[in-house]
Amino acid sequence: MTTKITIIYDNPQDEATFEAGYPEQVGLAKNLPGLQRFEAAKVWPKEDGSPTPAYRLFDMYFEDYDAANAAVTTEEAAALFPKIFELATGGVRIVFADVEQG
């Protein structure tokens, strides 16, 4: 079954700095072996101006769990993940999920 790795970026300390570095992360993610597709999304701001529960979401899709797991052990992942943690000044969560199709 398709597996996705989701990176959930919490609100950064400095949005401009985050946005300046984000395209590099997307480029590095594209190099992961076995990556079938990806989706990048920015969370809409709340209408009342209060902080959102997350800032950006980045989903990377792989054929299955084994392919996703193998991808994060590669040199390409070794280039990507430190950049993720460096830029995620507000915090970050990374989850693997089994994609259920309806």
Side-chain angles (χ1 to χ4, degrees):
M1 293 196 128
T2 301
T3 295
K4 72 175 179 174
I5 301 172
T6 299
I7 302 169
I8 305 164
Y9 297 94
D10 293 330
N11 293 297
Q13 294 173 359
D14 181 338
E15 288 183 19
T17 299
F18 182 95
E19 291 299 326
Y22 188 69
E24 178 185 11
Q25 288 184 22
V26 173
L28 289 169
K30 290 179 183 179
N31 295 327
L32 289 176
L35 180 70
Q36 294 181 325
R37 69 183 179 94
F38 71 91
E39 294 177 343
K42 188 171 182 184
V43 177
W44 285 107
K46 288 187 174 184
E47 293 177 7
D48 66 2
S50 62
T52 58
Y55 181 72
R56 276 195 174 272
L57 308 173
F58 190 79
D59 295 309
M60 298 176 286
Y61 293 82
F62 297 86
E63 181 177 351
D64 54 25
Y65 178 81
D66 290 337
N69 195 44
V72 299
T73 65
T74 62
E75 289 181 22
E76 292 84 356
L80 170 63
F81 284 95
K83 294 290 186 181
I84 289 171
F85 292 113
E86 177 184 318
L87 200 59
T89 57
V92 64
R93 290 160 283 159
I94 300 172
V95 298
F96 283 60
D98 182 21
V99 178
E100 299 174 342
Q101 310 225 355

